Amino acid sequence: GWLFWRAMASGRRSGDRKRQVILLILCVCVCQSGAETLRYSVPEEMERDSFVANIAKDLGVPLSQLAARKARVVSEGNEQLFRLNQNTGVLTAKESLDREEICPQSDTCTLVFKIFFENPLQLIRGEVEVRDVNDNSPVFPEKEMVLKILETASPGSRFPLESAQDKDVGINGLQNYSLAPNPHFSLAIGTAKDGVKYLELVLQRQLDREEQGELNLLLTATDGGSPPRSGTAQVRIVVVDANDNIPVFERETYEVRLAENSPLEQLVVRVTAADPDEGSNGEVRYAFTQTSERSRQLFQLNPTTGEIRVAGKLDFEEAKSHKMVVKATDGGELYAHCKVQVEVLDVNDNAPEIALTSLSASIPEDAPPRTVVALFSVRDRDSGDNGRTECSIDGDLPFSLTPTFDNYYELRTNAALDRERTAEYNITITATDWGRKRLSSQESIFVQISDVNDNPPEFTQEVYTMSVTENNSPMLRIGSLKATDADAGINARVNYALMRQEGKEQPEVSVNAENGDVYILRPLDYEKVRAFEITVRAADGGSPPRSAQAVLHIVVRDENDNPPVLLHPAPERTAPGELLPRWAPPGYLVATAAAAAADAGQNAWLSYELAKATEPGLFRVGLHSGEVRTARDVTVGDTARHRRILLVRDRGQPSRSATATLAVALVDGFSEAYLRVREEAPAAEPDGPLTLYLIASLVCVSALFLATAVAAAVVKVRRARRSETETLPTFPTTATESSAGSLPRSYVYDVCFAAGTVNSEFRFLRPLFPCFPAGLPPGPGEQRSSVCSQDAANLGAEGD
């Protein structure tokens, strides 16, 4: 921008349009060739927030990109001198720039700054030259300089004068001296090797103290500014009586090398001047002359001994050398000069300085290796190896340092990150110089690792087993599932849901989506469902979500909610009876009760007992087998018909039971027709006279039954005698014998014999009881079955 302005200004001054175009093209070429470094020039003493350059225009960057890429300007050093407006792209000076304050000992004053862009990271170097303005006048160290000159001084003698100082540089700096016209002296101006101008008074005509003992001359110093500035000093010449000898130094120039960490009061050098005169004319005293104020502050001169010692803290980084002039004056006011040059040696007394430029406070855990985390610079104000630095990271961390340029380093990742293992890093960067006594400094960078959904939920168990008792209440909580996710935030928020299975009925289970509590929605029935399994899915809140599955096994516990069911004898009102021969021995199997319970376990353990019987001592029942057997021999006095109430009870809590009636008829043989016992409902016990009537009726019926039985027995005996000579039928050999007095159920036959004939007919029927013809009693250990196929009389209709 500045080059373009200068080119246009030059074109306008010349008035030549062609030359302006040529200069413009040349300026563009120069700008293009130096695109890597932006160079600008501004005059000093500009007002605050003055325009420096349009960065966006010079870089060709749209204004929207400045804010989006977080463009900012950083000046070298601790003080930030410029400000970049991201909305306009204009670079301005934060404060008024004073070249003499910023660059006090430099002819050129160049301020270096860097412009940083992010996303992607980009750094552009810029320089601003602060041009000097003639804002300082030359100043003499003293307003009045007194010179004592012997009247015997010969023409041509030279007498040094204090030089004026001008803080401006270049053309605005000190350019010339002038001396007011006088008859005795002229002014000689010389230039030293270092470019500093010095001046001397040259005696043109012999002095005569008696004629004029004192002269006053006006010395003027002028700079080259426009308009020029000047400063004056009064030179008073005191004419002294003759002193034959002046002090003489041993050396014209003393050169000393001194370390910058030299302590106070350390001897630097001793200057010595000899004067052969006697008395006061031979006594020499020393003083600084033509020496800068800073050098006077750092060094002190003993006026008597000529020793120069350290009086302040030396700093190589501030000034690498100091030049002083020592004036030796004797008692006769004669003097001589010598130069003392002190070279300051660098010592490693400055630790490296780490300046953080850019930092990403948080990076995702899936960031690829070589991702830039931070950008920083290292500066050491020492020189040589003392100013050479190296950087390292403390500890074994997945980060590395990459040097870029101008002592800038990038902090990058060098391995994959895992937030679940390490959620944050406190990175300590150590910068160390290469001095003999190595100095170092540290800077801590805190980097947060942001979570990425890279971990699925994990159940605490692969299979969860829960139990519930049947007939439960609705919405009963029976347990809880638990899944954890190693991620953080929404990525670790777990939701639970049941997996739908096609073709299967929806289970009566619900899972709380937030905490995994398992609820049974409706009452369950153990007899219908004893156990079932469902799949539960746990999904996190990431995008995309991750999930895991677990099996939920639910076991239904039985409750004693079903009474036993009697299979035999059937619990209907009408049921076939059982026939018992009167010759049956004790333990004779009359019938076997069979019952079942829909429950399980202890609730299905059944026990049998006789709840009510007409002859309590005649029968007994097996507690667990249900076998009804005779407990004793049948006697003549036993009732012919018996009704037994069987009670079946389970062992549940509370216990449940069922009853059935078993009708048993006592028979002498099987000549009667096959009897069928009909179950009758037990009559309620009568109250009052009704009981007497029932007893009388029972007695009558019993008498009638006995008479009928006796008649039937007589008839059968007679028939048996007539058929003694007839051949008996042969029974199948496959029928096994039974010690209980009856055939097994699988080998019972219906056998019909017509009286006086041997023709027979076999049919498989219901269980039958044997009846032997008269005259054929059963032999020991065996029983032969014979029965008529005629329908038995309904014993239930006759009553007990």
Side-chain angles (χ1 to χ4, degrees):
W2 176 74
L3 292 175
F4 177 79
W5 177 82
R6 293 292 299 271
M8 293 299 295
S10 176
R12 285 194 296 269
R13 285 194 300 267
S14 64
D16 188 355
R17 298 294 295 179
K18 292 184 179 180
R19 185 179 180 185
Q20 181 177 353
V21 173
I22 294 173
L23 288 175
L24 176 61
I25 296 173
L26 179 61
C27 174
V28 172
C29 295
V30 172
C31 291
Q32 291 295 329
S33 63
E36 294 183 357
T37 301
L38 300 175
R39 292 182 172 85
Y40 304 98
S41 177
V42 296
E44 67 171 336
E45 302 297 339
M46 290 196 310
E47 293 183 358
R48 181 179 179 179
D49 293 329
S50 297
F51 175 86
V52 177
N54 190 328
I55 297 298
K57 180 179 179 181
D58 295 342
L59 294 178
V61 178
L63 293 179
S64 59
Q65 290 293 321
L66 293 179
R69 297 181 61 185
K70 299 179 181 180
R72 61 189 183 277
V73 62
V74 178
S75 302
E76 286 191 353
N78 299 326
E79 186 177 2
Q80 300 300 316
L81 302 176
F82 302 100
R83 180 187 294 115
L84 177 62
N85 190 322
Q86 294 182 351
N87 296 325
T88 62
V90 173
L91 181 70
T92 59
K94 295 179 66 175
E95 301 291 342
S96 177
L97 302 179
D98 187 355
R99 192 203 66 81
E100 287 75 23
E101 181 181 351
I102 299 173
C103 309
Q105 297 182 354
S106 178
D107 293 339
T108 61
C109 185
T110 302
L111 303 180
V112 179
F113 66 92
K114 293 181 175 62
I115 300 175
F116 291 89
F117 291 89
E118 296 183 4
N119 300 321
L121 181 65
Q122 185 179 4
L123 186 148
I124 299 176
R125 188 175 187 273
E127 296 178 357
V128 175
E129 179 186 2
V130 180
R131 302 193 307 275
D132 183 48
V133 175
N134 191 23
D135 56 346
N136 294 282
S137 300
V139 177
F140 286 92
E142 298 176 356
K143 289 296 183 181
E144 183 181 57
M145 292 180 282
V146 179
L147 296 179
K148 295 181 178 181
I149 303 175
L150 289 172
E151 63 180 346
T152 58
S154 60
S157 300
R158 293 175 176 265
F159 306 95
L161 296 176
E162 292 282 350
S163 301
Q165 304 291 329
D166 194 339
K167 294 183 179 180
D168 295 326
V169 296
I171 192 65
N172 295 324
L174 181 63
Q175 297 294 325
N176 195 16
Y177 292 94
S178 62
L179 186 66
N182 65 91
H184 293 282
F185 295 92
S186 64
L187 191 64
I189 301 174
T191 304
K193 294 181 179 179
D194 55 0
V196 178
K197 291 185 178 182
Y198 62 89
L199 63 158
E200 297 173 325
L201 277 178
V202 180
L203 183 61
Q204 299 292 333
R205 197 179 72 172
Q206 185 76 37
L207 296 175
D208 187 358
R209 182 180 178 278
E210 287 71 23
E211 179 181 348
Q212 189 177 4
E214 186 174 301
L215 289 83
N216 289 309
L217 306 176
L218 182 64
L219 180 62
T220 303
T222 309
D223 62 20
S226 178
R229 289 176 175 265
S230 62
T232 61
Q234 193 74 28
V235 180
R236 185 159 62 92
I237 307 296
V238 177
V239 180
V240 182
D241 281 341
N243 185 8
D244 296 334
N245 298 286
I246 63 173
V248 178
F249 283 97
E250 295 179 349
R251 285 183 288 176
E252 183 179 350
T253 302
Y254 293 84
E255 294 182 352
V256 181
R257 304 181 70 185
L258 190 65
E260 63 174 326
N261 61 347
S262 298
L264 299 179
E265 300 295 331
Q266 178 176 333
L267 179 63
V268 179
V269 68
R270 175 180 291 179
V271 295
T272 304
D275 192 326
D277 292 329
E278 294 183 354
S280 61
N281 291 332
E283 295 178 359
V284 180
R285 297 187 65 83
Y286 303 93
F288 283 128
T289 183
Q290 300 186 36
T291 302
S292 66
E293 185 65 26
R294 181 57 178 162
S295 297
R296 294 172 186 263
Q297 295 173 357
L298 295 176
F299 302 95
Q300 64 179 3
L301 174 62
N302 190 311
T304 303
T305 63
E307 293 180 348
I308 300 178
R309 295 183 179 273
V310 177
K313 181 175 176 56
L314 302 178
D315 191 353
F316 173 84
E317 289 71 36
E318 179 184 348
K320 298 178 174 57
S321 65
H322 296 274
K323 296 179 181 180
M324 297 167 285
V325 176
V326 178
K327 177 181 179 182
T329 306
D330 61 16
E333 299 301 326
L334 295 179
Y335 55 85
H337 300 83
C338 74
K339 296 180 181 180
V340 178
Q341 294 184 356
V342 179
E343 181 183 355
V344 181
L345 302 179
D346 184 38
V347 175
N348 191 21
D349 58 345
N350 292 284
E353 300 174 359
I354 300 175
L356 194 62
T357 302
S358 176
L359 171 64
S360 299
S362 177
I363 58 175
E365 60 178 323
D366 61 348
R370 306 294 298 167
T371 299
V372 177
V373 179
L375 178 68
F376 63 93
S377 62
V378 179
R379 174 192 177 196
D380 195 318
R381 294 193 299 165
D382 294 322
S383 62
D385 287 343
N386 295 332
R388 185 179 176 185
T389 60
E390 62 182 16
C391 290
S392 61
I393 297 177
D394 295 350
D396 185 14
L397 300 177
F399 297 91
S400 62
L401 296 177
T402 302
T404 55
F405 55 89
D406 287 350
N407 291 327
Y408 274 85
Y409 293 85
E410 290 178 342
L411 177 64
R412 295 175 176 265
T413 61
N414 62 0
L417 304 176
D418 189 356
R419 190 206 64 83
E420 288 69 40
R421 295 175 58 187
T422 305
E424 57 190 24
Y425 291 92
N426 190 1
I427 306 170
T428 301
I429 299 175
T430 302
T432 308
D433 60 28
W434 283 42
R436 177 173 300 178
K437 181 183 177 182
R438 306 190 73 175
L439 300 179
S440 62
S441 60
Q442 292 183 335
E443 179 75 18
S444 294
I445 297 177
F446 185 79
V447 178
Q448 188 85 22
I449 307 301
S450 60
D451 185 51
V452 174
N453 191 25
D454 56 348
N455 291 283
E458 293 184 2
F459 281 96
T460 56
Q461 302 173 218
E462 293 183 359
V463 178
Y464 291 83
T465 301
M466 301 180 186
S467 60
V468 58
T469 303
E470 65 173 330
N471 304 318
N472 57 282
S473 58
M475 292 305 296
L476 175 65
R477 181 184 179 277
I478 62 172
S480 180
L481 304 169
K482 182 64 176 178
T484 58
D485 196 310
D487 293 320
I490 193 173
N491 296 329
R493 188 179 302 165
V494 179
N495 288 323
Y496 304 89
L498 296 177
M499 297 291 291
R500 307 288 181 181
Q501 297 183 358
E502 297 182 1
K504 290 189 178 182
E505 185 179 355
Q506 177 67 20
E508 305 293 340
V509 179
S510 174
V511 176
N512 189 299
E514 295 182 356
N515 56 27
D517 288 346
V518 180
Y519 294 88
I520 301 298
L521 301 178
R522 285 178 283 277
L524 300 178
D525 189 354
Y526 173 82
E527 287 70 39
K528 293 183 179 179
V529 179
R530 298 195 175 188
F532 59 91
E533 287 185 351
I534 55 177
T535 302
V536 180
R537 178 177 179 264
D540 58 27
S543 179
R546 291 178 175 267
S547 61
Q549 296 181 0
V551 176
L552 175 60
H553 182 71
I554 298 179
V555 179
V556 182
R557 293 195 301 267
D558 183 43
E559 187 178 56
N560 194 22
D561 58 344
N562 293 285
V565 177
L566 274 162
L567 305 177
H568 180 77
E572 293 94 5
R573 287 189 173 273
T574 302
E578 305 291 342
L579 299 180
L580 175 65
R582 289 182 175 274
W583 45 261
Y588 182 87
L589 178 63
V590 179
T592 300
D599 296 321
Q602 182 174 317
N603 298 328
W605 294 355
L606 304 179
S607 61
Y608 302 85
E609 58 183 276
L610 293 175
K612 187 177 180 182
T614 52
E615 285 292 340
L618 180 58
F619 301 98
R620 60 181 172 83
V621 63
L623 180 62
H624 300 297
S625 64
E627 294 179 346
V628 180
R629 296 179 181 271
T630 56
R632 57 178 174 79
D633 292 329
V634 181
T635 62
V636 178
D638 290 332
T639 305
R641 296 177 182 82
H642 296 266
R643 184 182 297 275
R644 301 290 182 264
I645 296 178
L646 286 174
L647 176 65
V648 182
R649 190 189 309 273
D650 59 28
R651 296 183 65 181
Q653 294 294 333
S655 176
R656 292 180 177 269
S657 61
T659 59
T661 301
L662 176 65
V664 180
L666 299 180
V667 295
D668 294 323
F670 291 114
S671 58
E672 299 97 342
Y674 175 71
L675 299 179
R676 188 182 297 273
V677 181
R678 180 173 59 87
E679 181 184 38
E680 293 181 355
E685 294 184 0
D687 297 331
L690 182 58
T691 303
L692 295 178
Y693 297 152
L694 290 176
I695 293 175
S697 300
L698 289 174
V699 171
C700 294
V701 172
S702 299
L704 182 60
F705 174 75
L706 289 176
T708 304
V710 170
V714 172
V715 173
K716 292 187 74 64
V717 169
R718 288 179 178 178
R719 289 179 179 178
R721 288 178 178 177
R722 286 198 298 265
S723 58
E724 286 181 354
T725 59
E726 296 178 1
T727 304
L728 294 176
T730 301
F731 289 90
T733 59
T734 58
T736 59
E737 297 180 353
S738 174
S739 60
S742 65
L743 290 173
R745 305 268 176 155
S746 58
Y747 299 109
V748 176
Y749 300 90
D750 180 11
V751 184
C752 180
F753 299 101
T757 178
V758 295
N759 293 332
S760 62
E761 182 179 1
F762 284 51
R763 288 179 298 166
F764 291 95
L765 295 175
R766 288 186 295 273
L768 301 177
F769 292 88
C771 180
F772 290 93
L776 291 174
E782 65 176 22
Q783 295 184 6
R784 301 180 182 274
S785 298
S786 171
V787 65
C788 296
S789 62
Q790 301 174 4
D791 292 334
N794 192 344
L795 298 178
E798 297 175 4
D800 291 334

